[in-house]
Structure formats: structure tokens, C-alpha cells
Amino acid sequence: MTDNGFTITDEQRDYSQFNLEENPFPYSPVPKNDPEIYCGQEHAAKRISDTVSTMLSTGKSKHLVVTAKYGNGKSHTLKYTRSLVRDRDDVLVGYVAQPGEGFRDIYHEFLYDLGFDRVQQLAYEYLAHITSDITDWHPSRPDEMCELIDEGELLLSEIIPTAIQRLNTVTQFADFSRAIVHMVYEDTNLYAWQWLTAEGIRYEQRKEMEIHSALDDDTTSVRAFTALKNILLELGYTGVFVFVDEFESIARLSPKDEQATLNSIRHLMDQNSHGLCLLFACAPEVWQDVMSEYHAFSERIGQEVALRPLTDEHLTDLVASYLDTARVDGTGGIAPFEEECLQWVHQRSQGNVRQVLSLCSRLLDVAADRQQTRVGRELGETMISD
């Protein structure tokens, strides 16, 4: 469709002259939920690996903050690390896009990232644990426990009193225990989910589940998070990973709210010396302020790793890795980009990953439109001047 200078079409560009099936670079350089490529930050990969591996191997809590200027890969780093541990059977992993107004928001986002089904599965898993102890049934998986209940082989009334009693000992939070148990009741599981996610429910709904308190502030959210982690450890899990992105947004809070948020996270770390790994992504200038003003919080994290702008060599590896995802002839390398072009991209982007990906994406499209087989420096200079 062409009208008043606009040409809108759904016809796809042809990248076959580059031996590519598509443009492999993102048009909007936002990190994927499950990134497949990670280049140029070997020092960060080493520090993150050490933090994660220490928690996995010892069970002792360990935390880390990843700092970098905007566009240098903080979110990508957190999501890539999450993708490495998320499929393990012995940990629970949650991603928080930004800390919000306080720890209650962090807890809320963490639970939502886990999802209703995963939390319900955890409730069945705990009931299976109790069932094996007090009956002749030995369900080993949540779905086996669910099947026993659905087929009437086992009555919930036979195990719930013992389950709540033991959960109270594990969680030290009776209302949390009741909410977890109610995740398996068809009539009340949505109320239980709303309470567990700190969304707030009416008094009548709480009364139906015999829950007496509201989960509506930072203090009870810290208590609820600790209760959840304790259930996991009771079930034999190694622990919980929490990835908190855009931590610099706490700087937008009032000093009182910022202090309260940092204090809540500090209390969370104090109450969980085992089974917890917190990874934060934060702009360096905000982290410096936190380091200088909130010692009690920053000293408990103790570790910081700063992402660096890409070098020429790293940029070449990054571009080659992206091209490999769309290459049809398996040749590898940086073709159709010429070395001088990538040097120009490096100079213009100053090694900023987001700008590198954006420039490479645009260059490839311009070259395709002009039916060129190579992408040279002069094309980049022309593209910028147009």
C-alpha cells in the first residue's frame, strides 16, 4: 500500500544473498526471556557462576549485584543466568522485572513469575510428603497425589490436619500454612492464590479459609517469602533464586520508602542464611549511592561485578554468534559484514551492546533493500547521513 509517501507491505525482505534465512538481530534490542547468546563478559560469567554454584553446592545463601550502564546487558545477563538454573529440579527460580514500591511488590512479582500452577504443584508435593509419612500410600510426584485425591483413594480430611500442624512448625506462619493447603481445594484455591500473592482478599474469603491476617505490607511479605523457602527446604530443595532487575528504580522512591525497601531485603537476607540467592541488576551510580548510604544492606550483599563495554574482539564474536542463528550454509564468521564495518560499529556504539545490535540490524536491512551482498563501512556512514 503506497499513499502520500508511505509504503506499507507485509512482503518479507530477502536475505538469501547473505546466506541468511532472516535478519538475526533484534529490531527492538530487548532481551529475550530465554537468551541463547552471551558474549564478551567472561569476568562477569565467572563471578556469577561462582555465586550460583556456591549456593547450589553448599546450600548457603550468597548474593550478587550486577552493575552496568544502560544498554550494556544487565537484563540480558540476569535472564541468561536464569535460563541456566530454571530447569533444575532442586531449586525454585523467580524473576522480578523491577522492585516497584517496596518488598511487597518484589514478593508479588516473584510469586506471579512462579505462577498459580507451580505453587499449586508445590502444595500437592507437600501433601504427598505428608501422605507418605502417615498412610500406606507413597505418591512421589504432585500429579500422583492429585490423582489419589481426585479418584477418592485418599480423603483430604485424612491428611490436612497433620499437614497444617507440620506446616506451622516449618513456616512459623499459620496463615501461610492454611493458604498453601487451600491451593488444592477447588472452591478456595483462587482466594488462596490471591492471599499468597499479596493481592488482598475480603474478610469473608479469609474467614472461609480460617486465615486471620492480611498479607499487605513489607513485613508480612518477608515472612511469607521465608515461609515458602522453608517449605522448599523441608521438601529437599536446595533453595530459591530471585533475580531482581532494574534495581536502580528504588532511587525514584522517597528516602523513607527506599530505606524501608532496603531494610526489608536486609531482613530477608538475615532470616535466610541458607537456601537463598539474590541477584540484582542495578545502574552503577545508584549502587554507589546505596553502598555509601545504606551500609547495613550493601554489606550483606558484599559482591559486585560490573559489565564492561564490548571490545572489538567481543563485538566480532557477538555478531558472528547472532549470524550463526540464521545462517543456512554453516560457514560461520562475520560475513556479510566487513571487518572495517564492524570497527565502525564499535566506534559509533562505544561497545554498548544495545547500540551494536540496533546498528547491525539496520545495516543488514539497508544492504538487503539495496541488494548488496556485502555490508561495508561506507554503507553505515551513508545510512547515518540519510
Side-chain angles (χ1 to χ4, degrees):
M1 178 176 68
T2 301
D3 190 12
N4 291 328
F6 288 85
T7 301
I8 297 176
T9 176
D10 59 1
E11 184 178 347
Q12 294 186 359
R13 284 189 175 91
D14 181 11
Y15 299 96
S16 60
Q17 70 267 33
F18 309 128
N19 290 322
L20 299 173
E21 59 183 8
E22 63 178 1
N23 185 338
F25 302 100
Y27 288 113
S28 175
V30 176
K32 292 182 178 179
N33 281 331
D34 296 302
E36 298 172 353
I37 296 171
Y38 194 75
C39 295
Q41 303 292 346
E42 288 83 0
H43 68 294
K46 186 176 179 181
R47 293 290 297 277
I48 293 169
S49 298
D50 177 70
T51 300
V52 171
S53 300
T54 298
M55 208 284 267
L56 289 173
S57 61
T58 68
K60 295 179 182 177
S61 297
K62 195 167 185 179
H63 317 296
L64 177 72
V65 61
V66 179
T67 61
K69 294 188 177 299
Y70 290 101
N72 271 336
K74 296 189 295 297
S75 298
H76 186 93
T77 298
L78 253 59
K79 290 183 175 180
Y80 187 82
T81 307
R82 179 184 63 161
S83 72
L84 298 177
V85 296
R86 186 168 56 186
D87 295 333
R88 290 180 65 100
D89 293 331
D90 61 339
V91 297
L92 207 62
V93 178
Y95 175 80
V96 177
Q98 54 98 8
E101 303 294 321
F103 185 78
R104 177 176 171 272
D105 287 345
I106 293 176
Y107 169 79
H108 173 83
E109 290 299 317
F110 174 78
L111 261 288
Y112 253 86
D113 191 59
L114 295 182
F116 177 94
D117 291 344
R118 184 67 186 91
V119 175
Q120 187 182 54
Q121 189 182 45
L122 189 64
Y124 277 115
E125 199 172 338
Y126 192 81
L127 293 184
H129 175 66
I130 296 298
T131 298
S132 296
D133 283 351
I134 66 173
T135 74
D136 293 331
W137 296 98
H138 297 286
S140 60
R141 300 194 311 271
D143 58 324
E144 292 177 359
M145 185 66 206
C146 183
E147 192 175 328
L148 281 178
I149 295 171
D150 290 346
E151 294 182 355
E153 300 285 356
L154 189 67
L155 297 177
L156 281 172
S157 58
E158 295 178 43
I159 54 173
I160 290 299
T162 304
I164 288 180
Q165 186 181 18
R166 291 199 188 177
L167 270 173
N168 287 344
T169 303
V170 172
T171 66
Q172 297 291 306
F173 193 174
D175 285 344
F176 189 89
S177 303
R178 291 195 176 280
I180 284 290
V181 166
H182 274 276
M183 286 297 291
V184 306
Y185 285 97
E186 190 174 343
D187 293 341
T188 52
N189 57 22
L190 288 178
Y191 298 157
W193 173 246
Q194 284 179 283
W195 188 88
L196 285 168
T197 54
E199 284 192 352
I201 58 175
R202 296 198 307 274
Y203 170 76
E204 294 77 12
Q205 295 166 338
R206 279 197 281 128
K207 188 177 179 182
E208 191 173 343
M209 297 185 289
E210 299 182 73
I211 290 175
H212 303 291
S213 63
L215 189 57
D216 58 0
D217 58 26
D218 285 2
T219 301
T220 51
S221 297
V222 169
R223 201 175 166 198
F225 186 99
T226 301
L228 176 66
K229 190 224 69 181
N230 287 344
I231 292 174
L232 293 168
L233 295 191
E234 176 74 5
L235 289 172
Y237 285 71
T238 303
V240 182
F241 286 90
V242 185
F243 297 87
V244 184
D245 206 351
E246 297 186 17
F247 194 65
E248 62 272 9
S249 65
I250 63 166
R252 294 197 289 267
L253 300 177
S254 68
K256 181 181 176 183
D257 289 341
E258 182 179 354
Q259 176 84 59
T261 301
L262 296 177
N263 278 340
S264 295
I265 299 173
R266 177 170 66 87
H267 291 147
L268 182 79
M269 291 188 281
D270 287 349
Q271 293 174 22
N272 294 278
S273 59
H274 283 74
L276 177 63
C277 183
L278 295 167
L279 270 76
F280 300 91
C282 187
E285 58 274 17
V286 173
W287 182 244
Q288 288 303 314
D289 290 343
V290 170
M291 289 276 285
S292 61
E293 295 177 24
Y294 303 102
H295 299 285
F297 172 78
S298 60
E299 287 173 358
R300 280 165 173 78
I301 294 182
Q303 294 188 99
E304 174 190 355
V305 62
L307 303 182
R308 300 166 185 161
L310 297 177
T311 63
D312 274 316
E313 183 180 353
H314 292 146
L315 189 148
T316 299
D317 290 343
L318 180 74
V319 171
S321 296
Y322 269 91
L323 289 169
D324 283 347
T325 64
R327 187 97 60 191
V328 296
D329 60 359
T331 54
I334 61 171
F337 291 93
E338 296 177 350
E339 284 188 20
E340 280 194 357
C341 179
L342 293 189
Q343 290 169 2
W344 174 84
V345 169
H346 187 249
Q347 291 167 5
R348 186 155 189 92
S349 66
Q350 296 185 336
N352 183 287
V353 179
R354 184 177 295 165
Q355 293 183 35
V356 168
L357 296 177
S358 178
L359 283 170
C360 288
S361 179
R362 290 169 60 194
L363 281 165
L364 204 60
D365 277 356
V366 171
D369 290 343
R370 298 185 180 186
Q371 297 183 329
Q372 295 182 197
T373 57
R374 304 290 294 174
V375 183
R377 178 189 182 114
E378 67 283 358
L379 181 66
E381 292 171 342
T382 304
M383 180 182 76
I384 295 300
S385 63
D386 283 347

